[in-house]
Amino acid sequence: MSQSLAASSAQIDILVVIDTEYIKKNFSKNTDPNNPLGINHSSQYMIGYSPRGIVSGQGTADLSFRANVGDYVSFRGTSIQQNSDDAVILYGIKYWSGDKVFNTFTTDIVTRNRAVQPNPDQPNGIPPVATVQNFTSYDSKIAKGGTENFYVYIAVYTLASDGQTQELYGYYYWDPQVVVPV
């Protein structure tokens, strides 16, 4: 690790992919966002990039990554269908035990006016078309070293019988952990 990387703030990105079929088969509907239903760790896949390194759990519900005080962390969520059939919205990350490593999380929405997507008029989608797209992340900054257990809150939506409308199925959470060197 270079001296400048150790002293500078780094950007850490975590993609949360949810297997909504597993949730629908194993957990009841829950329409109260203030009382999400706790779920086991079998439907979540967290994929992380940290210039500080991934400790363990890449591709699992229990990702552990390295971060330094002052680093920025962004969580993004999607369904395993890329939100095209069932959809997932990450709507909260909250401290529940251990050291309070993260500052408060905030929702950040970035609009790209010329984001690319596959061209529906081409068999392979190339060349792409440019469209206006919004990208959402849930962001915080590492406040101090330690180990924090936290809740990740998700809203799950399912595709309605009309094949066009996504309707609320329920609100859920699970409890990963982050470790920041002291």
Side-chain angles (χ1 to χ4, degrees):
M1 187 179 323
S2 73
Q3 286 286 11
S4 62
L5 182 59
S8 300
S9 293
Q11 177 65 44
I12 299 165
D13 291 295
I14 309 297
L15 177 62
V16 179
V17 180
I18 303 295
D19 179 352
T20 55
E21 291 300 323
Y22 181 89
I23 290 174
K24 292 186 299 185
K25 286 178 187 169
N26 293 284
F27 299 97
S28 60
K29 290 184 176 185
N30 174 34
T31 58
D32 184 353
N34 297 313
N35 291 299
L37 181 63
I39 58 176
N40 63 30
H41 292 209
S42 298
S43 64
Q44 311 89 322
Y45 306 92
M46 295 194 301
I47 303 161
Y49 166 75
S50 172
R52 313 282 185 210
I54 300 298
V55 176
S56 64
Q58 187 76 279
T60 72
D62 296 304
L63 179 67
S64 177
F65 58 91
R66 289 188 179 92
N68 288 350
V69 172
D71 285 351
Y72 295 92
V73 180
S74 294
F75 284 79
R76 293 170 178 84
T78 188
S79 71
I80 207 160
Q81 300 98 359
Q82 195 182 3
N83 284 351
S84 65
D85 290 341
D86 291 348
V88 169
I89 295 175
L90 194 153
Y91 76 95
I93 296 178
K94 186 175 179 181
Y95 165 86
W96 74 272
S97 76
D99 303 304
K100 194 161 178 17
V101 170
F102 291 116
N103 281 307
T104 302
F105 277 85
T106 58
T107 301
D108 188 26
I109 299 173
V110 173
T111 301
R112 301 276 184 228
N113 290 321
R114 290 172 297 287
V116 295
Q117 68 180 35
N119 186 335
D121 297 327
Q122 298 298 322
N124 64 0
I126 302 296
V129 294
T131 65
V132 175
Q133 292 186 40
N134 292 328
F135 299 93
T136 305
S137 60
Y138 220 67
D139 303 335
S140 183
K141 193 172 185 178
I142 301 292
K144 70 177 191 174
T147 300
E148 178 176 333
N149 299 294
F150 58 99
Y151 295 132
V152 177
Y153 297 101
I154 57 170
V156 174
Y157 295 82
T158 188
L159 191 62
S161 59
D162 67 6
Q164 298 296 318
T165 307
Q166 292 172 323
E167 300 173 335
L168 178 66
Y169 181 81
Y171 297 98
Y172 306 92
Y173 76 92
W174 82 100
D175 55 349
Q177 180 183 83
V178 64
V179 178
V180 177
V182 180

